[in-house]
Amino acid sequence: MTKTLIILISLAGIAPLFSEPKPDKYSRFFAGRWVGGTHGNIVYKIHAPARISPSASLPVVVYLHGSAKCGTDNVKQTKVAVPASFVANMAKRPCILIAPQCNHGQAWMTQSGESVLSLLEDFLENTRVADPKRVYLTGFSLGGYGVWHLIDRRPELFAAAVPLAGAANISDVSHLKDVSIWIFHGRRDKSVKVQRARDISSALKKKGISHKYSELPAGHLITSKVFNEDEIHEWIFRQRRK
């Protein structure tokens, strides 16, 4: 019996039959700590597990900070209750946490918001372990406005949205029907009147869009009251787009 040896030869020499897959574009961010980057007109940090199976499928959480954390230091937006709560729960509920920072004079409803959307799309396209059906968006105050703006612009990107002490400027909410929404607002909020939250909740109800609404006996600063509780984390991580 004659055995035949097949050799593949390219112009560059002998070509391997098998090759290692190329590393993900964002692989350096999987370090078990905050790692920074830039995209468009924003800076951002990502906190993701250091050790993870190539076949893993992780949810992605995006947090939009309030106006007090604007700048370019790329640190302040991570030192607040919401992202800190996800980091504290990382062993129990592993996820990819993205915390962008917009500069002074900017807002999530302008070019900085477009940069967040562009970053998120690029990240999902170039990160195999990111689950595109489990992308969650939350934000406080200015970031709450940003949550409404981004789900209005691109509802198909998000499985869940949690606006905190924010307000919406949306003429028609019909296209939000596939986004799971939980609104939080302080009844005594003097910075963003609670009526703004009641109005958008009412608009959702009129369109028959199911959502959760929690009005707290508090003022503007409600982030710790909400995200230091297990209930919100459990709810968020149950949400998945069809």
Side-chain angles (χ1 to χ4, degrees):
M1 181 180 296
T2 304
K3 294 183 178 180
T4 303
L5 178 64
I6 299 176
I7 301 176
L8 298 181
I9 301 177
S10 70
L11 293 176
I14 299 177
L17 294 177
F18 303 99
S19 61
E20 290 294 320
K22 293 180 180 179
D24 283 339
K25 178 179 178 179
Y26 293 92
S27 58
R28 71 181 182 90
F29 291 92
F30 289 80
R33 57 182 174 80
W34 288 109
V35 179
T38 61
H39 187 93
N41 71 327
I42 60 170
V43 292
Y44 65 90
K45 279 198 171 174
I46 293 178
H47 196 302
R51 295 183 179 180
I52 161 178
S53 165
S55 61
S57 182
L58 293 177
V60 178
V61 179
V62 181
Y63 172 68
L64 305 180
H65 63 74
S67 59
K69 305 306 175 185
C70 288
T72 56
D73 64 288
N74 208 9
V75 173
K76 287 184 291 189
Q77 81 277 21
T78 67
K79 303 291 186 179
V80 286
V82 179
S85 72
F86 284 99
V87 172
N89 282 285
M90 194 66 74
K92 184 178 180 181
R93 299 184 185 91
C95 68
I96 300 164
L97 178 58
I98 303 176
Q101 184 183 34
C102 70
N103 204 351
H104 296 289
Q106 294 291 317
W108 302 119
M109 297 77 75
T110 58
Q111 184 57 42
S112 292
E114 295 303 309
S115 291
V116 172
L117 292 173
S118 173
L119 168 63
L120 180 57
E121 285 186 302
D122 192 62
F123 185 86
L124 293 173
E125 182 179 342
N126 291 284
T127 307
R128 286 167 292 176
V129 298
D131 187 347
K133 293 187 179 297
R134 291 188 295 161
V135 179
Y136 311 131
L137 178 65
T138 184
F140 166 66
S141 192
L142 175 66
Y145 279 84
V147 169
W148 287 114
H149 179 73
L150 295 194
I151 64 172
D152 181 35
R153 288 272 294 107
R154 297 294 304 280
E156 77 282 359
L157 282 178
F158 303 102
V162 183
L164 306 162
N169 296 302
I170 303 175
S171 57
D172 184 1
V173 298
S174 301
H175 59 302
L176 304 183
K177 60 183 177 60
D178 294 324
V179 183
S180 297
I181 301 171
W182 193 343
I183 304 165
F184 287 90
H185 214 100
R187 193 170 302 127
R188 301 189 301 271
D189 193 331
K190 294 181 180 179
S191 298
V192 182
K193 298 300 183 183
V194 69
Q195 190 59 48
R196 298 297 300 276
R198 293 171 180 170
D199 288 345
I200 189 64
S201 178
S202 177
L204 291 168
K205 286 179 183 176
K206 286 179 180 178
K207 291 293 184 179
I209 299 174
S210 177
H211 65 287
K212 293 168 74 70
Y213 177 80
S214 293
E215 196 169 292
L216 309 180
H220 190 58
L221 300 175
I222 60 173
T223 52
S224 295
K225 293 179 177 65
V226 176
F227 274 90
N228 285 353
E229 299 295 329
D230 254 4
E231 182 183 9
I232 185 63
H233 291 271
E234 291 170 356
W235 179 84
I236 287 174
F237 282 91
R238 286 198 303 268
Q239 310 311 309
R240 175 188 289 272
R241 287 192 70 87
K242 296 177 182 178

